[in-house]
């Protein structure tokens, strides 16, 4: 009976150690992926200065020419604001600026023109309701654009690092608890043999 209990305990310890090591390895791989994808985007983001923007004008554009090519036909919103004491173009996020520099806001659904147009008009109406709002500016002097929302800010970085940290901590705790259990069982076995 005692031998079966020891064998079952060793199998359970081995499984727990494998789980702990797998969790640590998974966390390390996730940290590597985040370090090569999210961290460079966070470091490249120059829109770090919080500012208050005041709406100057909004325009809905249907089809424009971008570098001599016609962009896909969808309505987009063009927003001019004053921020940090100068005129600027407002972009929804960093990605909006990269997708089309002639659009401040690109609707999420481009399948139906009517749905996209309604989305753009709703966003435009919200800007007219709240003409003063927080935005993110850059410290560069020659930059004439600001962001409404940062995709790669400190909150998103912390949120991205939460689960791998949780996984790493859990895996290390499992490994430490198994090792403590093993050392205590060895001490107990030595005491029983000594008596």
């Amino acid at each position: 009976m005692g031998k079966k209990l020891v064998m079952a305990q060793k199998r359970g310890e081995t499984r727990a150690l494998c789980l702990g090591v797998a969790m640590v390895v998974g966390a390390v791989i996730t940290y590597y992926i985040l370090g090569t994808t999210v961290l460079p985007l966070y470091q490249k983001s120059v829109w770090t200065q919080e500012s208050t923007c005041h709406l100057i004008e909004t325009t809905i554009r249907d089809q424009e020419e971008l570098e001599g090519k016609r962009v896909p036909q969808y309505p987009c919103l063009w927003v001019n604001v004053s921020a940090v004491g100068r005129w600027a173009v407002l972009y929804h996020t960093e990605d909006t600026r990269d997708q089309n520099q002639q659009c401040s806001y690109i609707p999420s659904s481009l399948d139906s023109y009517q749905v996209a147009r309604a989305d753009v008009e709703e966003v435009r109406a919200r800007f007219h309701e709240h003409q003063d709002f927080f935005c993110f500016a850059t410290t560069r002097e020659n930059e004439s654009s600001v962001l409404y929302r940062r995709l790669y800010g400190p909150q998103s970085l912390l949120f991205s690092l939460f689960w791998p940290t949780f996984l790493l901590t859990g895996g290390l705790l499992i490994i430490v608890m198994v090792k403590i259990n093993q050392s205590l069982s060895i001490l107990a076995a030595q005491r029983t043999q000594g008596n």
Side-chain angles (χ1 to χ4, degrees):
M1 172 85 177
K3 199 167 194 169
K4 285 184 181 180
L5 183 63
V6 169
M7 290 301 290
Q9 185 178 4
K10 285 190 178 197
R11 276 194 303 251
E13 287 174 351
T14 304
R15 289 178 183 159
L17 273 177
C18 287
L19 174 65
V21 169
M23 288 172 71
V24 169
V25 168
V28 168
I29 290 171
T30 307
Y31 277 130
Y32 174 75
I33 291 170
L34 290 175
T36 57
T37 56
V38 174
L39 193 60
L41 294 173
Y42 172 75
Q43 290 174 332
K44 277 189 347 187
S45 180
V46 294
W47 291 276
T48 56
Q49 182 181 356
E50 277 195 45
S51 179
T52 302
C53 286
H54 178 74
L55 183 69
I56 295 175
E57 70 171 326
T58 60
T59 308
I60 297 178
R61 297 180 172 182
D62 285 318
Q63 188 170 5
E64 297 289 331
E65 288 205 9
L66 179 64
E67 297 172 5
K69 299 177 187 173
R70 294 183 81 74
V71 296
Q73 185 169 350
Y74 56 83
C76 70
L77 185 64
W78 179 257
V79 181
N80 292 327
V81 296
S82 65
V84 198
R86 63 180 186 260
W87 175 89
V89 176
L90 178 75
Y91 290 102
H92 185 234
T93 62
E94 294 98 328
D95 288 349
T96 307
R97 185 173 189 262
D98 294 339
Q99 284 178 356
N100 186 349
Q101 290 190 353
Q102 296 182 1
C103 289
S104 297
Y105 173 78
I106 299 171
S108 55
S109 174
L110 299 176
D111 296 334
S112 167
Y113 179 83
Q114 286 78 19
V115 172
R117 178 76 183 206
D119 185 21
V120 168
E121 287 177 358
E122 181 182 333
V123 171
R124 181 181 187 189
R126 273 192 247 139
F127 274 120
H128 285 284
E129 285 175 20
H130 309 286
Q131 294 197 358
D132 292 317
F133 49 90
F134 289 107
C135 59
F136 296 95
T138 181
T139 54
R140 295 180 185 168
E141 288 296 321
N142 57 351
E143 186 67 48
S144 64
S145 60
V146 293
L147 297 180
Y148 182 70
R149 186 172 64 90
R150 286 180 69 189
L151 284 179
Y152 311 113
Q155 294 90 356
S156 65
L157 185 66
L158 288 174
F159 183 74
S160 298
L161 294 175
F162 173 75
W163 286 110
T165 304
F166 183 73
L167 200 62
L168 179 68
T169 306
L172 290 175
L173 279 173
I174 289 173
I175 292 170
V176 167
M177 288 183 347
V178 168
K179 289 299 179 182
I180 289 173
N181 187 35
Q182 286 176 344
S183 63
L184 288 176
S185 64
I186 290 171
L187 282 174
Q190 287 175 350
R191 279 203 174 154
T192 56
Q193 285 178 356
N195 290 337

